[in-house]
Amino acid sequence: MRRTVVTIGALLFATAATAQAVEQGQYSTPLRTMLTAAAQGSCTEALMGEALLNACRQQLPQLAPTLKAAGEIRTIAFDKAEDADGQRYEKYTVTFANGKPAIWVIGALKDGKFEAVYSMGE
């Protein structure tokens, strides 16, 4: 009996670990596109909802030089996804050619456009 309980416990643990490993981010490509465009001084209208687009345009004078100085994006690593108010948000660690990695969140996809993209810093 004890061997059966240990085997079932190990199977449950392995199944849970596999389920966590399987989850992958869906928004890394749009995040890369938006960050690259912002570094070049533009906001990605095709991917941004109206409120996000307005915020991007307001913040672009400060954001563009900062992203440009950080250099090209080396990696975008998916950290986790969360749901809030029925919307999916994904957290990524973005590594640039210069400087330390930064945490970015993207989400609230509505009608094919994102309502939220923001940095949580390092």
Side-chain angles (χ1 to χ4, degrees):
M1 176 73 169
R2 182 166 169 77
R3 181 181 297 246
T4 303
V5 172
V6 171
T7 303
I8 291 171
L11 179 61
L12 290 174
F13 178 76
T15 303
T18 301
Q20 286 180 337
V22 170
E23 183 173 16
Q24 296 179 358
Q26 301 170 12
Y27 303 154
S28 65
T29 299
L31 179 60
R32 179 183 295 271
T33 300
M34 285 187 248
L35 292 176
T36 301
Q40 297 170 354
S42 66
C43 298
T44 314
E45 293 182 33
L47 295 173
M48 296 180 170
E50 187 176 335
L52 179 58
L53 186 59
N54 288 336
C56 178
R57 288 176 176 153
Q58 289 175 350
Q59 297 172 21
L60 200 57
Q62 294 82 29
L63 184 60
T66 300
L67 288 173
K68 188 171 185 167
E72 129 183 10
I73 296 171
R74 297 282 189 212
T75 61
I76 297 181
F78 174 71
D79 294 328
K80 68 179 183 175
E82 293 182 3
D83 288 328
D85 299 322
Q87 296 291 323
R88 180 181 176 92
Y89 294 85
E90 294 183 358
K91 185 172 108 174
Y92 291 88
T93 300
V94 181
T95 304
F96 297 91
N98 307 315
K100 297 180 181 178
I103 305 299
W104 283 83
V105 175
I106 180 172
L109 185 61
K110 182 178 176 186
D111 298 327
K113 296 187 178 190
F114 292 92
E115 299 294 327
V117 175
Y118 58 91
S119 175
M120 297 176 66
E122 299 173 5

